[in-house]
Amino acid sequence: MSLRVLVVDDQGIVRAGFAAVIDAEDDMTVVGEAADGVTAVVLAAELAPDVVVMDVRMPEMDGIAATRIITGREDAPRVLVLTTFDLDAYVFDALRAGASGFLLKDVHASELLHGIRVVAGGESVLAPSATRRLIGHYASGAGTGFRSDGGSGPRELESLTDSQRTVLALLASGLNNAEIAGELGITVGTVKSHVNALLRKLGLRDRVQATILAYDLGITRPNPPGTDHL
């Protein structure tokens, strides 16, 4: 089945360009377009996309506010934020709002398509510069002040099994499911089961939130600046 994508950007030519690139793929279909956050919220509910490609700076309602509303719903789509502005506030606010990815608009078309597929599959993607900023922020000891909507903390961590805690630490260090499986000598399916279980127990939306929580609680130490992905 094709991935259903909603494209949101206040610039018509940019929106049309993204839509054309996405629609040209055999496994993707653009089900709608929106020029502002208010329309994006409405269309996300009406069209049930798998992924929303979301701009940040828009009239009526910005992309961060729209993302927060969209991801707060039951059976919410994944949101991939695209922006021209590589600012700390945008990165952190997008992740706090529930975005599963953050890329700059000047990415190559192949990177955009890869990002859509990654977040649709439940993984996370961040632009290298955004990842460096995030990791550097933690490495400096500043943190982000982020907590999940459920206020996950030490008490919730006690509900994790030893295996789930280990998977959380490896996930937050930047390993994907296949790499975690190789590290632990288990199947990818088992890793997926552990990831799904720990996200459910901690009340987290996805791997981005799990990574940030692991940093916040000191479960994982930041990798050196220059790391290109989570």
Side-chain angles (χ1 to χ4, degrees):
M1 295 179 61
S2 293
L3 292 175
R4 296 168 57 82
V5 182
L6 172 63
V7 179
V8 185
D9 196 293
D10 66 330
Q11 297 184 49
I13 190 169
V14 173
R15 191 171 65 248
F18 287 153
V21 168
I22 295 167
D23 247 345
E25 296 298 294
D26 293 336
D27 62 338
M28 298 184 191
T29 301
V30 174
V31 295
E33 299 180 27
D36 58 71
V38 173
T39 306
V41 169
V42 173
L43 291 182
E46 292 180 351
L47 302 175
D50 299 301
V51 177
V52 178
V53 175
M54 181 75 74
D55 187 21
V56 172
R57 298 182 64 174
M58 296 182 293
E60 303 298 329
M61 177 187 294
D62 66 31
I64 302 300
T67 296
R68 186 174 295 110
I69 294 172
I70 291 171
T71 60
R73 294 169 171 167
E74 188 175 354
D75 298 325
R78 301 286 177 173
V79 176
L80 175 60
V81 170
L82 293 183
T83 179
T84 306
F85 304 93
D86 184 18
L87 301 177
D88 286 350
Y90 287 167
V91 176
F92 298 146
D93 287 350
L95 299 181
R96 291 189 188 101
S100 295
F102 184 99
L103 295 175
L104 297 181
K105 287 185 179 180
D106 62 359
V107 297
H108 190 275
S110 61
E111 293 179 78
L112 168 61
L113 297 171
H114 173 70
I116 292 173
R117 294 185 178 101
V118 167
V119 299
E123 302 282 341
S124 308
V125 60
L126 292 177
S129 57
T131 306
R132 286 194 293 270
R133 287 168 180 263
L134 185 63
I135 292 175
H137 201 63
Y138 277 103
S140 71
T144 64
F146 175 91
R147 286 294 186 273
S148 73
D149 291 343
S152 296
R155 181 176 299 177
E156 286 82 354
L157 289 177
E158 292 175 1
S159 69
L160 300 183
T161 65
D162 290 341
S163 295
Q164 290 164 359
R165 188 184 289 262
T166 299
V167 168
L168 174 59
L170 293 174
L171 176 159
S173 70
L175 302 187
N176 60 34
N177 288 347
E179 291 167 337
I180 294 173
E183 184 78 15
L184 299 180
I186 59 179
T187 68
V188 172
T190 300
V191 174
K192 289 181 178 178
S193 295
H194 285 321
V195 171
N196 290 336
L198 71 88
L199 292 177
R200 183 179 66 254
K201 288 181 177 180
L202 297 176
L204 303 174
R205 295 187 187 96
D206 53 35
R207 297 167 74 102
V208 166
Q209 288 199 333
T211 297
I212 296 176
L213 181 66
Y215 285 161
D216 272 346
L217 299 180
I219 295 171
T220 300
R221 296 180 62 83
N223 295 319
T227 302
D228 287 345
H229 65 279
L230 286 178

